[in-house]
Amino acid sequence: MPVVNPEKLVALQRNPEGIRNICILAHVDHGKTSLTDALIATNGIISPKLAGKIRYLDSRPDEQIRGITMESSAISLYFSMLRRSAPDATPEQKEYLINLIDSPGHIDFSSEVSTASRLCDGAVVLVDAVEGVCSQTVTVLRQTWVEHMKPLLVINKMDRLVTELKMTPGEAYTHLTKILEQVNAVLGSFFQGERMEEDLNWRERVDERIAAAAKEKERLDEENTTGTNGSVDTESMTPSNQEFEEKDDEDLYFAPEKNNVIFSSAIDGWAFTVRQFASLYEKKLGIKRTAMEKVLWGDFYLDPKTKKVLAQKHLKGRALKPMFVQLVLDQIWAVYQATTGGDKGKGDPAMTEKITKSLNITLPPHITCSRDPRAILTTLFSAWLPLSTALLVSVIESLPSPPVAQEGRLPALIDASPGYTHVDPIIREAMIKSRSSKNEPVVAYVSKMVSIPESELPENKRRGGVLSPEEAREMGRRKRAEIARAQALENGTAEDPIDGLTDTLGSTAIEDVKVEDKEPDREHLIGFARIYSGTLSVGDSVYVLPPKFTPAHPHNSPEPQKVTVTALYLLMGRGLEPLTSVPAGVVFGIAGLEGHILKSGTICSQLEGSVNLAGVNMASQPIVRVALEPVNPADLDKMIRGLKLLVQSDPCAEYEQFESGEHVLLTAGELHLERCLTDLRERFARCEIQAGEPIVPYRETIVRAEEMKPPANKELGRGTVIATTTSKQVTIRLRVRPLPAEVTEFLGKNATAIKRLYSDRQAAEKRTDQKDSQESSEQEDVDEDDVVDNSKVLSLAEFKKQLQSTFESVKGQREIWANAVEQITAFGPRRTGANVLIDATKDCICGRFLRDSVEEKEQAVGDTLQARDFSDKVGYAFQLATAQGPMCNEPVQGIAVFLEEVTLTPSTDDESSARDKLGRLTGEVIKTVQQAIKQGFLDWSPRLLLAMYSCEIQASTEVLGRVYDVITRRRGRVLSEAMKEGTPFFTILSLLPVAESFGFSDEIRKRTSGAASPQLIFQGFDILDEDPFWVPFTEDDLEDLGELADKENVAKRYMDSVRNRKGLMVSGRKLVKDAEKQKTLKR
Ligand SMILES: Nc1nc2c(ncn2[C@@H]2O[C@H](COP(=O)(O)OP(=O)(O)OP(=O)(O)O)[C@@H](O)[C@H]2O)c(=O)[nH]1
Ligand SMILES: [Mg+2]
């Protein structure tokens, strides 16, 4: 296959109808990269022999070693085919440009998938024929749904049905039908979900009518009484509900007869669609191709005598094979039997010959002679059903070109962007119609930044800009010789030739050293982008819109900056080809954005009325954190620089510098962490870096346990604390209680609503407390993320109503929470957490948070100090106390603090003004309240909440036992176990503490010899029902366990590990926070 030259690809960019931008999506290991190999081979980039084996786009060494893709990469491919413009027209030669993005399937890199899909118009979704629909399959299908991308389904690894599961063609057919059903069920659920959401309001109105109709139906037809809640039974609707039926979901589903399903084996290099077989049989059976397409899949049978197609009901008891089995699968199976022996293990040369003859294929003699059954197999298939043809033809025929896709997809995308009502109609129109002429506005979306070493940039490759040490040395040598020669020529005129020569030698030597010492390959950040309208050229000056940009306020700070495009590239895997300009519809690389775009952003040629496509992008939250330090302390700057580069070039990694001076890297999972560290060490920082133990987040809470120690103060009740400041001037009484679980959950879910309420209130008051700098910085924290999707956030009234009813639903605690909602004055920590501060003082000194209108804020400090003056100090202490719990300084959740009384006893001999006094008392009060909350907290039974992964493992019966063993040893909890229909595999779903997850995947893989590999998805926090401070105190316990309970307290182990890391005191119940204090206590 000749190599396609880039000029050809560039030329094709000008013809948008011939472009397809597609991404390959699937669950991990379902064969995406192997499949793309086959396509790459068609362009002569790799040899067809290696396709499916070398995984060309896995260009990183660690990707190759582990066999897992870690970064999405793009490649542009050329394809030409004969195409009919109408079914009966004569075919014409047409050329196409396919921009293909291979994405990673591992959950840790799911953010790479979301970034890739924004750039594309269509998706090829792979499903392993054996494993079927897996967790990430659902995720990627949702991605195509959300992004309005048209999908194509590839059922890959078909060979496993023959060789591994040893199915007969008939069994395989049933199995494939099931897989299709599963996939379609997933799509159906999205459709249902969306339809329900869209029609929610409408439904509310007709709900009663539907219910009435259902009732009526129930009465009439007792058998058919499917409920009306959850899914709407369209049949039961009266004609007035027709609105609902307008939307058709027919187009949505995958069906082989619609040509959107491909059956393939990437490793053996074949694939086919039903259409292909239909045209193969068109002549043989004398059935028109278009008719054949419709019956080749499904319950249709071929009458052996009449050669007519029969539907199932006309079978009349005859045991015929479905046509798909007889005409398609049987043929494929035969090839396997003949060549590799399929399930028998031995080929049959005579049969091979028969097959090749009937297919009219001649195998090259060196293949037939070689007697290598796999070589015969792949050669035969590549001649008969080449993978690339089936796939590319389907891509071209079923997936839309950029203009078609943009027309269908962009209106929704624009309408979902922030401030979309202010988008300039010209821009809108240009994007939807994908206008590409020079004077149209340019809009492009940069989905991620990739880092490319300087030496790999095409401009340097051509000019040889950066040299390897050998090259540099060689050049030095040559230069020296040249100068010497020049010197020798001038010899006659020079006064002191020898001196001159040594001089020049000396200077070149210095230069030589300089060249060798030169900074190693610098990294350049190239944006991975897609242009939606206009034409972008090198040298153009365009605006880079910051993530929070909205056309409603285009000049808000940070003011969008203008940058100059320094280069444009065609993306060819790791390689790049320079471009001078790109027209609408193209996926390309862009340079010049370094430092202007962090992760993703929009580029626009104008500022007013432009559209922010980066708006709301919910990537997965980084959950695994590690502290990093350079092995050589002098490398600290290098490391920080490296971290900053890493954060820019990775869609998910984050970097934080803690107050303690630690440099902490946040990543999506263990594998992601490993990749980030490799990148840091080898490319971005280029120094040895040590990573600490992964830091796992915990939460702290309290519960009302069965057996608790008696309350500290019996008369006041559990959780009540009366605390007096050191100067004895302020006394505070408060009571801590556990919030009902329902309420905690409600608050957790509605954190965005709280955030919004808070910022709304702030905006209304327009007055921030500048005095307390910490507080104001915290307020900024809250504001920072408020570019949220506002449509789903509850309004104040709604929030209050729901919170109230949640409180009311709690049984047996009605009185306690009766006025709680009205009295809430703050949420915490960070003002949005799931803890509440309730002002139960007589005069309501704190003011209400959930009030309807903005009240007058309290006046400035008066002549005499009042309890009210301390309200903000109490609030601040509440924030601090909930941000760092008493167990191991982790955030608290699920507590309510009732502030009951604040009493002032001013000292009489203090003459200073009230303001001065307040200033002096501030610290004391904060400290006292904070301590009091901690005391009240510990009066209950404290609990740790563990971060949990949900873990899905597919395993065969043989290794099932070992999988369970590993899960239980790591304190996982099995939730369900189900046999995958038609396969010997089980799917085990379990919950696993993040703290126990490090090395889990490796262990499972090792113990099962690679037969099972888990998918870990962060699930949330789960209570560990064990009091870390528990010691035996009842007589029974003391008898059973002795004074020093030798049973391991797991909660204490976790708590101690965190305390250890944070340098807090470990063991015992004494909570000494500061090291200095510890010292003084000892003395
Ligand atoms: N039997 C069989 N194995 C296949 C087939 N296609 C791929 N594989 C194997 O499946 C494994 C995973 O293939 P990859 O192409 O790396 O899968 P992937 O989907 O790119 O994986 P990630 O990118 O890590 O999500 C490799 O060992 C392939 O050899 C196939 O058609 N049949
Ligand atoms: Mg891959």
Side-chain angles (χ1 to χ4, degrees):
M1 194 72 61
V3 180
V4 175
N5 67 2
E7 285 72 37
K8 193 157 206 167
L9 299 173
V10 175
L12 282 174
Q13 288 189 338
R14 314 279 150 200
N15 170 26
E17 276 70 37
I19 300 180
R20 298 291 181 276
N21 297 316
I22 58 167
C23 53
I24 314 258
L25 307 174
H27 187 77
V28 64
D29 259 5
H30 281 193
K32 298 172 286 296
T33 313
S34 307
L35 192 88
T36 44
D37 266 4
L39 308 185
I40 293 170
T42 62
N43 275 228
I45 297 168
I46 57 172
S47 135
K49 266 196 232 120
L50 294 175
K53 294 175 197 74
I54 66 163
R55 291 182 287 115
Y56 177 78
L57 287 183
D58 282 355
S59 51
R60 301 167 52 99
D62 46 357
E63 286 180 327
Q64 282 290 342
I65 292 166
R66 284 176 161 270
I68 291 179
T69 307
M70 304 192 188
E71 280 178 342
S72 45
S73 36
I75 191 156
S76 299
L77 297 173
Y78 164 85
F79 185 64
S80 82
M81 68 176 207
L82 291 171
R83 208 175 167 201
R84 293 184 176 92
S85 46
D88 302 320
T90 42
E92 286 171 66
Q93 183 80 15
K94 287 236 169 94
E95 295 185 310
Y96 296 91
L97 170 69
I98 296 184
N99 295 315
L100 178 141
I101 301 183
D102 176 34
S103 68
H106 194 281
I107 177 85
D108 276 14
F109 309 114
S110 50
S111 42
E112 294 266 351
V113 176
S114 21
T115 56
S117 49
R118 253 296 146 93
L119 304 183
C120 297
D121 306 311
V124 174
V125 177
L126 263 70
V127 176
D128 183 326
V130 173
E131 293 189 358
V133 172
C134 297
S135 57
Q136 283 301 97
T137 316
V138 179
T139 315
V140 298
L141 283 171
R142 180 173 297 124
Q143 188 77 33
T144 60
W145 179 260
V146 174
E147 291 280 338
H148 304 277
M149 282 194 291
K150 194 158 180 222
L152 253 183
L153 181 70
V154 177
I155 302 187
N156 189 32
K157 303 205 188 179
M158 288 279 289
D159 59 298
R160 291 182 73 189
L161 301 182
V162 188
T163 53
E164 247 175 73
L165 301 190
K166 309 206 186 311
M167 288 179 165
T168 63
E171 286 163 354
Y173 171 67
T174 325
H175 180 78
L176 292 172
T177 334
K178 294 233 171 73
I179 291 186
L180 261 179
E181 273 169 18
Q182 288 173 1
V183 178
N184 283 335
V186 174
L187 287 178
S189 70
F190 301 149
F191 181 73
Q192 276 285 343
E194 181 168 281
R195 198 164 76 156
M196 275 162 60
E197 198 173 296
E198 265 181 14
D199 294 302
L200 198 63
N201 295 332
W202 172 81
R203 218 182 74 183
E204 266 170 14
R205 273 188 280 118
V206 292
D207 236 5
E208 284 162 24
R209 265 185 286 165
I210 294 172
K215 249 192 203 145
E216 180 77 7
K217 207 175 172 194
E218 199 172 63
R219 205 172 48 80
L220 293 170
D221 178 7
E222 292 233 332
E223 281 174 347
N224 202 2
T225 51
T226 38
T228 48
N229 51 352
S231 73
V232 180
D233 184 356
T234 39
E235 273 178 27
S236 72
M237 277 187 265
T238 49
S240 65
N241 301 334
Q242 226 132 46
E243 239 180 289
F244 234 29
E245 287 171 287
E246 271 173 24
K247 276 202 187 159
D248 194 6
D249 58 351
E250 252 310 286
D251 267 357
L252 187 76
Y253 298 112
F254 291 117
E257 64 270 22
K258 286 197 289 185
N259 262 306
N260 55 13
V261 181
I262 301 166
F263 303 89
S264 82
S265 166
I267 216 158
D268 294 338
W270 59 265
F272 66 85
T273 57
V274 162
R275 178 171 291 175
Q276 248 173 307
F277 269 93
S279 41
L280 277 179
Y281 283 108
E282 187 173 21
K283 277 217 189 84
K284 226 176 190 171
L285 297 174
I287 303 174
K288 248 190 151 343
R289 190 175 62 110
T290 40
M292 192 75 181
E293 271 174 31
K294 298 215 168 65
V295 294
L296 206 43
W297 173 267
D299 292 327
F300 298 100
Y301 306 82
L302 197 64
D303 190 321
K305 290 193 200 108
T306 60
K307 298 273 178 236
K308 284 244 160 67
V309 179
L310 303 174
Q312 197 164 21
K313 57 185 174 201
H314 299 301
L315 270 184
K316 301 194 184 112
R318 277 178 295 177
L320 293 181
K321 288 180 188 170
M323 281 171 75
F324 189 74
V325 176
Q326 189 193 346
L327 302 180
V328 181
L329 292 185
D330 272 356
Q331 316 303 317
I332 307 265
W333 259 243
V335 173
Y336 275 94
Q337 303 292 1
T339 52
T340 58
D343 53 354
K344 293 199 189 66
K346 201 160 171 288
D348 180 349
M351 195 174 160
T352 313
E353 211 178 307
K354 215 170 118 201
I355 293 175
T356 44
K357 270 226 183 83
S358 75
L359 293 175
N360 216 359
I361 294 170
T362 34
L363 294 178
H366 72 272
I367 298 283
T368 30
C369 296
S370 78
R371 305 232 158 247
D372 172 8
R374 279 199 56 81
I376 303 180
L377 176 85
T378 47
T379 322
L380 207 163
F381 270 129
S382 67
W384 182 32
L385 299 171
L387 199 166
S388 52
T389 314
L391 197 69
L392 292 175
V393 169
S394 302
V395 162
I396 287 166
E397 293 194 335
S398 308
L399 299 183
S401 65
V404 175
Q406 286 185 206
E407 181 126 32
R409 187 178 168 210
L410 283 184
L413 216 78
I414 297 173
D415 287 350
S417 69
Y420 67 94
T421 43
H422 294 84
V423 173
D424 184 348
I426 297 175
I427 290 194
R428 196 189 166 91
E429 191 67 12
M431 285 173 76
I432 292 173
K433 295 263 179 287
S434 64
R435 302 218 162 107
S436 60
S437 71
K438 258 291 181 199
N439 41 18
E440 294 290 343
V442 173
V443 180
Y445 173 65
V446 180
S447 81
K448 73 164 190 170
M449 303 293 278
V450 273
S451 170
I452 308 272
E454 186 157 297
S455 60
E456 285 182 27
L457 292 180
E459 43 275 41
N460 296 327
K461 268 192 188 152
R462 302 262 149 101
R463 276 188 266 115
V466 171
L467 308 170
S468 71
E470 284 82 9
E471 282 171 318
R473 236 167 280 148
E474 171 63 22
M475 199 162 105
R477 220 171 289 134
R478 248 184 286 136
K479 213 171 181 180
R480 259 197 308 256
E482 250 174 45
I483 291 168
R485 228 180 298 128
Q487 228 44 100
L489 269 180
E490 284 179 25
N491 227 353
T493 50
E495 294 232 339
D496 192 347
I498 312 286
D499 239 355
L501 189 65
T502 42
D503 262 352
T504 35
L505 269 179
S507 68
T508 47
I510 288 164
E511 203 180 295
D512 213 359
V513 171
K514 248 199 313 210
V515 170
E516 277 176 42
D517 255 11
K518 208 173 156 154
E519 273 257 313
D521 233 5
R522 229 169 68 89
E523 295 285 334
H524 285 262
L525 288 169
I526 306 288
F528 229 59
R530 154 81 183 253
I531 175 164
Y532 288 98
S533 76
T535 296
L536 188 63
S537 308
V538 176
D540 279 359
S541 200
V542 283
Y543 286 102
V544 174
L545 309 182
K548 285 207 268 177
F549 175 87
T550 153
H553 312 284
H555 296 284
N556 268 9
S557 83
E559 173 105 23
Q561 286 173 322
K562 246 188 168 179
V563 295
T564 306
V565 178
T566 54
L568 294 167
Y569 303 105
L570 187 69
L571 301 165
M572 296 296 287
R574 257 262 170 256
L576 301 169
E577 291 293 337
L579 295 172
T580 46
S581 70
V582 285
V586 170
V587 173
F588 64 100
I590 176 170
L593 305 177
E594 216 157 320
H596 296 280
I597 284 190
L598 183 77
K599 295 185 202 286
S600 68
T602 314
I603 298 176
C604 196
S605 54
Q606 69 186 65
L607 201 50
E608 313 292 334
S610 78
V611 56
N612 179 6
L613 294 169
V616 192
N617 194 1
M618 301 286 180
S620 58
Q621 282 282 318
I623 173 89
V624 173
R625 301 181 285 173
V626 285
L628 303 180
E629 59 180 43
V631 172
N632 176 2
D635 287 338
L636 185 65
D637 281 345
K638 266 193 187 171
M639 183 181 88
I640 295 176
R641 226 179 312 130
L643 275 166
K644 286 187 179 148
L645 259 173
L646 174 74
V647 170
Q648 286 196 48
S649 68
D650 188 295
C652 184
E654 278 172 32
Y655 156 60
E656 271 177 35
Q657 187 170 2
F658 282 12
E659 281 163 32
S660 53
E662 281 176 306
H663 300 272
V664 175
L665 177 66
L666 289 85
T667 60
E670 208 184 346
L671 187 65
H672 184 212
L673 169 66
E674 234 172 83
R675 196 204 78 198
C676 288
L677 286 178
T678 315
D679 276 352
L680 252 186
R681 289 192 185 120
E682 291 173 6
R683 292 172 58 195
F684 300 139
R686 289 173 196 278
C687 61
E688 264 312 298
I689 289 171
Q690 222 168 7
E693 283 282 300
I695 304 168
V696 178
Y698 289 88
R699 294 284 183 271
E700 305 185 6
T701 193
I702 44 176
V703 294
R704 183 189 297 275
E706 292 274 299
E707 328 169 340
M708 278 193 284
K709 290 203 162 174
N713 190 332
K714 280 216 182 70
E715 284 138 48
L716 295 172
R718 195 177 286 282
T720 309
V721 181
I722 299 180
T724 310
T725 57
T726 27
S727 64
K728 309 256 183 303
Q729 296 194 34
V730 187
T731 303
I732 284 150
R733 192 174 85 195
L734 54 79
R735 179 166 190 161
V736 179
R737 283 176 190 278
L739 270 177
E742 301 88 324
V743 177
T744 314
E745 194 185 330
F746 176 82
L747 295 179
K749 263 197 224 141
N750 289 293
T752 10
I754 304 177
K755 207 179 265 185
R756 246 270 299 275
L757 296 181
Y758 187 80
S759 52
D760 281 359
R761 199 179 71 157
Q762 271 223 306
E765 280 172 2
K766 274 270 179 216
R767 236 184 56 174
T768 44
D769 195 350
Q770 296 296 338
K771 270 178 278 171
D772 205 331
S773 63
Q774 224 158 347
E775 226 178 348
S776 54
S777 74
E778 227 178 359
Q779 284 157 2
E780 277 160 23
D781 272 354
V782 173
D783 287 343
E784 205 162 87
D785 309 318
D786 70 347
V787 206
V788 284
D789 185 1
N790 286 342
S791 57
K792 292 188 189 95
V793 177
L794 298 180
S795 67
L796 175 62
E798 192 57 28
F799 177 79
K800 247 169 110 170
K801 202 172 101 192
Q802 292 194 16
L803 183 59
Q804 183 70 39
S805 69
T806 318
F807 269 119
E808 277 165 13
S809 69
V810 183
K811 285 191 194 83
Q813 298 187 12
R814 227 162 229 222
E815 293 139 55
I816 303 176
W817 308 111
N819 297 322
V821 175
E822 280 307 320
Q823 292 178 337
I824 289 174
T825 97
F827 297 90
R830 291 169 66 91
R831 294 169 200 274
T832 54
N835 302 291
V836 290
L837 176 60
I838 293 174
D839 178 11
T841 52
K842 262 197 233 91
D843 319 329
C844 312
I845 58 166
C846 294
R848 307 281 181 250
F849 181 73
L850 297 174
R851 64 190 175 223
D852 296 316
S853 60
V854 182
E855 295 164 13
E856 274 294 296
K857 233 198 159 180
E858 80 273 21
Q859 282 93 37
V861 181
D863 290 343
T864 49
L865 267 187
Q866 289 179 335
R868 189 176 290 274
D869 298 329
F870 291 99
S871 64
D872 52 341
K873 316 294 178 281
V874 175
Y876 185 52
F878 167 76
Q879 299 296 342
L880 289 181
T882 48
Q884 299 199 323
M887 283 191 274
C888 45
N889 280 2
E890 290 286 298
V892 173
Q893 76 174 42
I895 69 165
V897 177
F898 289 78
L899 180 66
E900 294 182 341
E901 207 175 348
V902 178
T903 347
L904 301 184
T905 23
S907 59
T908 38
D909 50 347
D910 190 353
E911 297 289 302
S912 54
S913 74
R915 178 177 285 278
D916 287 350
K917 278 187 209 157
L918 183 65
R920 242 176 291 140
L921 286 173
T922 298
E924 274 182 40
V925 171
I926 291 175
K927 200 149 211 161
T928 310
V929 174
Q930 203 185 342
Q931 281 303 328
I933 295 178
K934 289 194 173 181
Q935 259 178 42
F937 183 102
L938 290 173
D939 212 12
W940 299 83
S941 192
R943 290 286 183 277
L944 272 186
L945 292 160
L946 307 185
M948 298 299 266
Y949 276 131
S950 86
C951 160
E952 190 189 280
I953 304 179
Q954 298 233 357
S956 58
T957 353
E958 300 95 67
V959 297
L960 204 59
R962 272 175 254 159
V963 170
Y964 274 110
D965 190 37
V966 180
I967 295 179
T968 20
R969 210 152 23 77
R970 288 175 175 262
R971 308 186 44 77
R973 183 150 45 90
V974 174
L975 297 177
S976 73
E977 175 200 293
M979 181 102 186
K980 266 223 150 147
E981 245 181 287
T983 71
F985 291 102
F986 282 90
T987 308
I988 305 149
L989 206 67
S990 57
L991 279 180
L992 185 78
V994 176
E996 304 280 351
S997 71
F998 299 100
F1000 175 75
S1001 303
D1002 269 352
E1003 192 178 347
I1004 289 264
R1005 260 198 297 274
K1006 269 191 208 127
R1007 294 281 311 264
T1008 63
S1009 326
S1013 63
Q1015 282 276 304
L1016 299 173
I1017 304 170
F1018 179 61
Q1019 189 70 28
F1021 289 89
D1022 206 13
I1023 198 159
L1024 175 66
D1025 202 11
E1026 191 167 9
D1027 180 350
F1029 298 120
W1030 187 84
V1031 281
F1033 64 97
T1034 62
E1035 262 177 35
D1036 284 355
D1037 284 343
L1038 281 169
E1039 212 165 88
D1040 285 353
L1041 302 164
E1043 294 245 345
L1044 298 161
D1046 32 5
K1047 190 180 99 193
E1048 196 201 4
N1049 184 331
V1050 183
K1052 181 160 167 28
R1053 173 157 63 85
Y1054 287 137
M1055 179 182 80
D1056 286 349
S1057 73
V1058 182
R1059 295 186 66 89
N1060 238 332
R1061 171 165 58 78
K1062 294 189 176 171
L1064 305 173
M1065 200 177 97
V1066 173
S1067 93
R1069 200 171 169 155
K1070 218 182 282 164
L1071 295 171
V1072 183
K1073 230 189 102 193
D1074 305 315
E1076 307 89 71
K1077 249 192 190 168
Q1078 223 165 316
K1079 254 188 247 158
T1080 47
L1081 273 183
K1082 262 189 192 156
R1083 257 182 228 142

